[in-house]
Amino acid sequence: MPPVGDEVDLYALPLTALVARLSHQLGRELAAEYAAHDITAQPLDASLFILLARADARLTELAARLNTSKQALMFVVDRLERDGYLVRVADPEDRRAKRIHLTQTGHQVARVSDAAMRRIERRWRVRAGDWARLRATLADLARPS
């Protein structure tokens, strides 16, 4: 790693640092998109919005799908519910359980999130070369060991 203040040679960075940089870049771009649409949600919420746009789900299902703990996701769901993006509804299959459901505003955020993510991915595809191979490799790396 070069000293702080020196120009960064991206080609010399470890893969983990490159992945972190891409993650930060994605977050900044989503934050700008959210700001342009007066969305108060966090960029890290984008995947949750996109998942819930497909179908409502229990918190435990969402946590497993997003590879996070139920407790961590509960804080996010509480915030998004408070801000009017989603609601908890009774689960028709289990009276004790709740399902997370997007509000109309939540569905709008899901559309903005999905469109922004697709635009970013299209831009990355052009620069990536063999996209299918890169995607497969990243999926393999993301799989728990």
Side-chain angles (χ1 to χ4, degrees):
M1 284 281 191
V4 174
D6 285 2
E7 189 168 323
V8 176
D9 177 5
L10 296 177
Y11 296 95
L13 288 177
L15 179 62
T16 52
L18 290 171
V19 170
R21 287 177 76 94
L22 282 173
S23 177
H24 289 292
Q25 178 184 335
L26 177 61
R28 283 192 309 271
E29 290 187 47
L30 284 170
E33 191 72 23
Y34 281 8
H37 288 87
D38 294 322
I39 296 169
T40 59
Q42 301 298 311
L44 291 175
D45 302 333
S47 295
L48 177 61
F49 280 110
I50 292 168
L51 279 176
L52 286 171
R54 294 181 183 144
D56 60 346
R58 291 182 186 170
L59 188 72
T60 51
E61 296 165 341
L62 291 169
R65 184 72 189 267
L66 295 168
N67 195 31
T68 191
S69 71
K70 189 172 111 173
Q71 294 78 10
L73 189 57
M74 180 107 49
F75 286 110
V76 173
V77 168
D78 287 345
R79 175 176 46 82
L80 295 175
E81 184 174 36
R82 181 194 68 228
D83 292 346
Y85 294 114
L86 53 84
V87 293
R88 290 176 173 97
V89 296
D91 187 330
E93 297 173 13
D94 182 349
R95 290 180 294 140
R96 300 166 296 158
K98 298 284 185 187
R99 296 188 73 77
I100 312 300
H101 181 80
L102 288 179
T103 62
Q104 182 176 351
T105 303
H107 277 285
Q108 291 169 346
V109 174
R111 285 190 291 277
V112 168
S113 301
D114 188 54
M117 299 270 264
R118 287 177 189 274
R119 267 194 317 278
I120 293 165
E121 186 173 309
R122 276 194 304 274
R123 192 178 70 243
W124 288 0
R125 273 180 197 245
V126 169
R127 298 175 72 187
D130 187 348
W131 182 254
R133 184 174 177 168
L134 174 62
R135 195 174 190 297
T137 300
L138 292 174
D140 287 343
L141 291 171
R143 190 175 302 139
S145 44

